[in-house]
């Protein structure tokens, strides 16, 4: 009996070829594992395909709920956005897939796991660092990194072995999608001067054709977690799906990012992330109202660290646990409602309210009811400006010589 390998299986060309290749090159029986993170595929067809190509077993794990509650919402609470642009959809899914690969390998008594990533992306790092932090003794094989075939050669390998080639084989784009967003790369997009062609977008309408009237949506948060839309309670999955539809309809969530990969190259990535865009903006708006200035300043620094560690494949680390504990604690009073206007590709915050709001009308107003003691300001300015005056007196004298 040959040993077994659990392969992260997407149903695409590379991972289908990998099923056959792992048998031929390594004499391993392949268990194909497809993880449902909201990419809305026909999973029974994917399963069938894996078996036809030679997998001894084809498993599908519905991981949507775990993905939302343990990956997406904590990242939302952290305001994790890589390089200020990318909401990290793909990056967040990989550690979850790594965890499931490890679980299935244990259940099935497999010595090895495999993934379909090439050798120049981030995903290989995320899979392998993830797997090795959970199960250091598991072996890992990356067929597409090892076999050294060009795309044409992979296609002819598939033809030789009766592996069905998806109609999308002629489609030059590499696409990865889940509830948090859709990533599109390759083809003409590799020229950073070229505007992304309209055909690549499937979740968002072009702002040219989006409704001429703005859409409004109210998002209710409880301790940093979105729980209602327009007052209606929704589970996390439905809430994200609803916002993807709603904001996508208004052309919101298109991102064109010239991104720094972990492996040292810059790459041009296009994302569609309607729900993530709206939720991240709304969440930050609620924090602006409920966190102190110092909390906000500090949390922005944590957000950069948090985004980097997700991007760089360091999900299963102590540093992450430490930062996550801080983020969770920071969300205690991030409860309230944010009103968002969606219009022709833009998402604007137009209203906010919270039972824990630190915004005080009577302190802020210039109208009647003002309780701010303006007579205290001269004393405040006198002390605040003390070191500045001091320095000016000592160091600005005789400033004429260079
Ligand atoms: N650049 C993004 C990231 O590193 C998206 C990668 C998308 N992956 C893909 N196989 N198309 O997270």
């Amino acid at each position: 009996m040959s040993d077994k390998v659990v392969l992260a299986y997407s149903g695409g060309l590379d991972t289908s070829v990998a099923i056959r290749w792992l048998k031929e090159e390594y004499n391993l029986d392949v268990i194909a594992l497809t993880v449902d993170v909201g990419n809305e595929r026909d999973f029974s067809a994917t399963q069938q395909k894996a078996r036809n190509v030679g997998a001894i077993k084809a498993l599908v794990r519905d991981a949507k709920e775990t993905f939302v509650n343990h990956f997406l919402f904590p990242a939302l609470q952290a305001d994790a956005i890589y390089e200020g642009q990318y909401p990290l959809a793909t990056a967040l899914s990989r550690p979850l897939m790594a965890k499931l690969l490890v679980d299935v390998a244990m259940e099935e008594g497999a010595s090895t796991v495999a993934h379909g990533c090439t050798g120049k992306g981030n995903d290989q790092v995320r899979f392998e660092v993830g797997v090795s932090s959970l199960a250091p003794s598991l072996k890992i094989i990356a067929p597409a990194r090892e076999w050294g075939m060009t795309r044409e050669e992979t296609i002819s390998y598939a033809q030789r072995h009766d592996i069905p080639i998806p109609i999308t084989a002629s489609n030059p784009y590499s696409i990865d999608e889940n509830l948090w967003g859709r990533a599109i790369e390759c083809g003409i997009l590799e020229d950073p001067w070229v505007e992304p062609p309209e055909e690549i977008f499937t979740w968002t309408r072009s702002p040219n054709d989006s409704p001429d009237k703005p859409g409004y949506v109210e998002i209710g948060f409880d301790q940093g977690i979105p729980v209602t839309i327009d007052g209606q309670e929704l589970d996390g999955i439905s809430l994200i799906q609803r916002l993807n539809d709603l904001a996508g309809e208004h052309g919101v969530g298109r991102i064109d990012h010239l991104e720094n990969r972990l492996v040292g190259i810059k790459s041009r990535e296009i994302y569609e992330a309607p729900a993530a865009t709206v939720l991240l903006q709304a969440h930050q708006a609620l924090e602006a109202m409920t966190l102190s200035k110092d909390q906000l300043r500090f949390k922005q620094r944590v957000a950069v660290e948090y985004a980097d560690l997700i991007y760089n494949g360091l999900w299963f680390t102590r540093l992450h646990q430490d930062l996550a504990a801080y983020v969770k604690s920071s969300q205690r009073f991030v409860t309230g409602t944010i009103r968002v206007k969606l219009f022709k590709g833009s998402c604007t915050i137009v209203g906010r309210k919270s039972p824990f709001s630190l915004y005080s009308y009577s302190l802020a107003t210039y109208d009647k009811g003002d309780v701010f003691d303006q007579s205290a300001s001269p004393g405040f300015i006198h002390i605040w400006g003390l070191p500045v005056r001091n320095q000016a007196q000592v160091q600005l004298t005789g400033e004429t010589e260079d």
Side-chain angles (χ1 to χ4, degrees):
M1 205 180 81
S2 35
D3 195 1
K4 287 182 264 189
V5 56
V6 184
L7 168 71
Y9 183 66
S10 68
L13 178 66
D14 281 347
T15 49
S16 298
V17 166
I19 293 180
R20 179 70 192 230
W21 186 90
L22 283 161
K23 186 75 202 165
E24 280 198 351
E25 297 291 318
Y26 283 91
N27 192 29
L28 289 167
D29 282 342
V30 178
I31 297 168
L33 170 65
T34 305
V35 180
D36 176 4
V37 276
N39 25 336
E40 286 182 69
R41 294 263 181 75
D42 177 359
F43 290 109
S44 57
T46 308
Q47 254 173 322
Q48 193 51 50
K49 184 169 176 184
R51 284 198 211 97
N52 291 349
V53 175
I56 58 158
K57 225 183 222 188
L59 304 171
V60 176
R61 290 279 155 99
D62 179 354
K64 291 196 287 294
E65 211 171 297
T66 310
F67 190 44
V68 169
N69 295 324
H70 296 280
F71 292 80
L72 301 186
F73 283 171
L76 171 64
Q77 290 179 306
D79 302 309
I81 306 175
Y82 184 63
E83 296 185 332
Q85 297 218 63
Y86 167 39
L88 294 159
T90 298
L92 282 159
S93 71
R94 296 314 189 229
L96 173 53
M97 291 176 182
K99 166 85 169 69
L100 292 171
L101 279 175
V102 169
D103 288 352
V104 172
M106 300 298 160
E107 287 160 29
E108 301 283 343
S111 66
T112 310
V113 296
H115 60 76
C117 308
T118 67
K120 53 193 293 194
N122 299 309
D123 288 333
Q124 54 171 345
V125 182
R126 298 169 184 147
F127 272 119
E128 294 183 33
V129 173
V131 167
S132 61
S133 52
L134 296 168
S137 58
L138 269 182
K139 285 183 278 201
I140 306 172
I141 303 177
R145 190 172 63 198
E146 241 180 71
W147 63 41
M149 291 191 275
T150 62
R151 191 153 181 88
E152 276 72 48
E153 287 162 356
T154 316
I155 291 173
S156 70
Y157 183 101
Q159 280 162 344
R160 278 202 310 282
H161 294 93
D162 282 332
I163 298 168
I165 297 158
I167 318 163
T168 54
S170 61
N171 175 345
Y173 305 111
S174 160
I175 291 164
D176 183 66
E177 58 187 29
N178 63 51
L179 281 167
W180 210 228
R182 183 166 177 268
I184 313 131
E185 53 191 32
C186 302
I188 188 74
L189 303 174
E190 287 175 355
D191 180 346
W193 181 250
V194 170
E195 182 175 352
E198 200 48 47
E199 71 192 26
I200 67 165
F201 297 107
T202 62
W203 287 19
T204 52
R205 223 182 234 271
S206 161
N208 280 334
D209 313 324
S210 70
D212 290 323
K213 270 176 60 182
Y216 287 88
V217 60
E218 290 182 13
I219 302 166
F221 288 87
D222 180 22
Q223 303 201 346
I225 305 281
V227 286
T228 61
I229 288 186
D230 294 331
Q232 186 195 351
E233 253 179 63
L234 289 170
D235 65 272
I237 301 171
S238 315
L239 184 139
I240 293 171
Q241 283 168 338
R242 175 87 66 92
L243 280 177
N244 271 331
D245 291 344
L246 217 71
E249 183 66 18
H250 286 276
V252 168
R254 293 185 174 187
I255 298 159
D256 182 338
H257 185 192
L258 197 102
E259 166 177 316
N260 287 294
R261 285 194 189 166
L262 179 58
V263 293
I265 54 181
K266 289 188 190 291
S267 74
R268 202 272 191 97
E269 310 273 335
I270 306 296
Y271 301 105
E272 292 185 278
T277 299
V278 172
L279 287 172
L280 283 159
Q281 224 175 299
H283 180 257
Q284 285 172 35
L286 187 57
E287 288 188 329
M289 179 172 246
T290 53
L291 298 186
S292 72
K293 175 179 168 181
D294 291 332
Q295 283 178 300
L296 283 167
R297 296 288 185 281
F298 188 74
K299 193 157 183 297
Q300 280 167 2
R301 309 220 301 256
V302 172
V304 173
E305 291 297 325
Y306 205 102
D308 280 352
L309 81 80
I310 293 169
Y311 191 85
N312 295 336
L314 301 175
W315 184 266
F316 297 111
T317 57
R318 294 286 164 200
L319 174 63
H320 179 209
Q321 288 179 351
D322 297 344
L323 294 184
Y326 168 76
V327 168
K328 188 162 190 290
S329 156
S330 74
Q331 299 299 288
R332 212 147 29 121
F333 299 107
V334 185
T335 293
T337 305
I338 297 295
R339 188 157 193 260
V340 180
K341 178 177 175 176
L342 307 167
F343 186 56
K344 298 263 173 225
S346 77
C347 162
T348 317
I349 306 301
V350 292
R352 62 282 269 170
K353 61 181 179 188
S354 164
F356 306 112
S357 173
L358 300 176
Y359 175 89
S360 160
Y361 177 83
S362 54
L363 284 175
T365 184
Y366 286 92
D367 295 340
K368 204 158 56 70
D370 179 8
V371 300
F372 187 93
D373 181 4
Q374 298 195 32
S375 71
S377 286
F380 169 73
I381 296 165
H382 184 74
I383 302 293
W384 176 251
L386 177 66
V388 181
R389 284 198 309 280
N390 179 43
Q391 188 165 28
Q393 271 159 7
V394 176
Q395 296 178 354
L396 288 187
T397 48
E399 178 94 322
T400 43
E401 82 262 26
D402 211 12

